[in-house]
Amino acid sequence: MLRYIVGRIGQSLLLLFLVSIIGYFVLLLAPGGPMSQFALTPGISKQDLDRIAEQMGLNRPIIVQYADWLWHLLQGDWGASFRDNRPVLTVILDHLPATLLLMGSATAIAMTLGVWIGIMGAIRRYSIFDYAATVGAMIALSVPTFWFGLIAIYVFSLNLGWFPAGNMYTIGSGSVGDVLWHLVLPASVLALVDVAIWSRYMRTATLDVINQDFIKTARAKGLSPRRVLFKHVVGNALLPMITLAGLQVPALLGGALVTETVFTWPGMGRLFLDSLGYNDYPVVMGLLMFSAVLVLIGNLLADLISAFVDPRIRLA
């Protein structure tokens, strides 16, 4: 088990290194570059731009810039924002709670509804409910998240007035109830696609377990259908879902970027787009690395939990 953990951590560190290389070089080689925001300043001269580039170390070879950035990153110095000169890590941590709240709420909704729909679809296979769930999942997977967000705002905010159209709280309030009220629409929209994914996977896993010999043995012993379902079927069908939960972290982060933009939710996704618009490369790279760490931690935890609860993985 220890060898497995060390191996997974080693793979994660190597992947982080590759992500940093690709992300850094793509950003620096993109049109415009980090100096483009300073070039828009009225009255700035070529000499001024050269002096700023020298002060920021942007006139050095790209390899040297990357090595210097990586060395400072390993020491805990994530750099400073071009926009307001605040430490990058401080800027990210200011927006992290909003993203975690949105992702956590969406995950809870998706897991609860997805698992229930999947189980019901499996035990009522080829029923009207099963066909309706399948069609609904295909629609949810086919339609872009931002479209669902815009429709939700139009119907539930503009027409019905049930929920606010955006932001995380009402200015001057900020109570728990007010935050939860603002959370309903973005969390539901973000969870919609994941509900479809979880329900399809759970249906397949449940059907696979139902057809196993030990389930037939449990039924032959006279156990009630409810006891067989909840004691033997659901527990075993949930094992693959642990791995799925880890794999869904990147999709949640990508969905959060779109959802936070549509609902003006002050999270990391909104910060990422704003930083791209301002060519704030230190913040963009910081967000890229921070998101990569979150994804790798999610996958690593999912693998470790799977190995802990499933002896077959641990022994392999």
Side-chain angles (χ1 to χ4, degrees):
M1 187 65 178
L2 180 61
R3 179 184 296 180
Y4 176 78
I5 296 175
V6 173
R8 291 291 287 113
I9 293 176
Q11 294 174 10
S12 300
L13 293 177
L14 177 60
L15 188 57
L16 270 179
F17 177 65
L18 295 176
V19 168
S20 70
I21 292 177
I22 296 173
Y24 195 89
F25 282 87
V26 167
L27 279 178
L28 283 187
L29 296 176
M35 291 297 298
S36 59
Q37 64 165 338
F38 301 106
L40 298 176
T41 304
I44 195 168
S45 64
K46 179 69 167 56
Q47 292 73 20
D48 294 331
L49 290 176
D50 292 339
R51 185 176 64 256
I52 294 174
E54 183 176 358
Q55 291 174 350
M56 300 177 64
L58 298 176
N59 58 347
R60 298 174 298 172
I62 296 179
I63 297 293
V64 177
Q65 294 184 48
Y66 170 75
D68 182 65
W69 172 82
L70 183 62
W71 175 248
H72 283 85
L73 182 70
L74 294 175
Q75 294 178 318
D77 180 10
W78 291 54
S81 170
F82 287 166
R83 199 167 15 163
D84 52 16
N85 206 35
R86 295 176 61 204
V88 169
L89 192 57
T90 301
V91 175
I92 294 175
L93 292 179
D94 286 345
H95 292 78
L96 178 63
T99 295
L100 291 181
L101 175 62
L102 180 60
M103 289 177 56
S105 303
T107 301
I109 295 172
M111 291 178 64
T112 304
L113 291 180
V115 168
W116 179 79
I117 293 173
I119 293 174
M120 295 300 294
I123 63 178
R124 298 180 181 179
R125 186 166 43 164
Y126 306 135
S127 64
I128 296 178
F129 178 87
D130 188 26
Y131 285 124
T134 301
V135 172
M138 294 302 104
I139 294 175
L141 292 171
S142 303
V143 179
T145 303
F146 74 87
W147 189 85
F148 281 124
L150 295 176
I151 293 300
I153 291 174
Y154 179 76
V155 174
F156 296 105
S157 296
L158 300 181
N159 286 349
L160 299 177
W162 291 355
F163 302 103
N167 293 322
M168 187 175 176
Y169 51 83
T170 303
I171 297 177
S173 176
S175 62
V176 175
D178 185 62
V179 172
L180 293 178
W181 187 43
H182 283 75
L183 179 65
V184 172
L185 280 187
S188 300
V189 169
L190 181 58
L192 191 58
V193 174
D194 287 334
V195 169
I197 296 174
W198 276 83
S199 64
R200 294 296 88 196
Y201 274 98
M202 191 63 191
R203 179 184 184 276
T204 302
T206 304
L207 287 174
D208 182 62
V209 174
I210 286 176
N211 294 322
Q212 297 294 323
D213 291 337
F214 70 92
I215 298 298
K216 298 176 182 177
T217 302
R219 289 171 175 167
K221 288 182 177 180
L223 296 180
S224 65
R226 176 180 291 272
R227 184 173 178 82
V228 171
L229 176 64
F230 290 103
K231 184 174 178 59
H232 298 285
V233 174
V234 174
N236 287 279
L238 282 174
L239 288 177
M241 301 298 105
I242 299 175
T243 303
L244 178 63
L247 296 176
Q248 285 300 103
V249 176
L252 277 171
L253 284 171
L257 188 149
V258 177
T259 306
E260 289 178 3
T261 303
V262 172
F263 290 96
T264 60
W265 189 265
M268 292 170 53
R270 179 82 183 278
L271 175 64
F272 182 81
L273 288 181
D274 289 346
S275 300
L276 279 178
Y278 282 97
N279 292 320
D280 196 349
Y281 286 13
V283 174
V284 173
M285 274 304 301
L287 285 168
L288 180 63
M289 295 304 298
F290 200 90
S291 300
V293 170
L294 289 180
V295 170
L296 292 175
I297 289 176
N299 288 327
L300 181 60
L301 288 177
D303 287 346
L304 294 179
I305 294 173
S306 297
F308 179 76
V309 300
D310 193 343
R312 295 171 298 180
I313 300 177
R314 189 165 60 249
L315 293 175

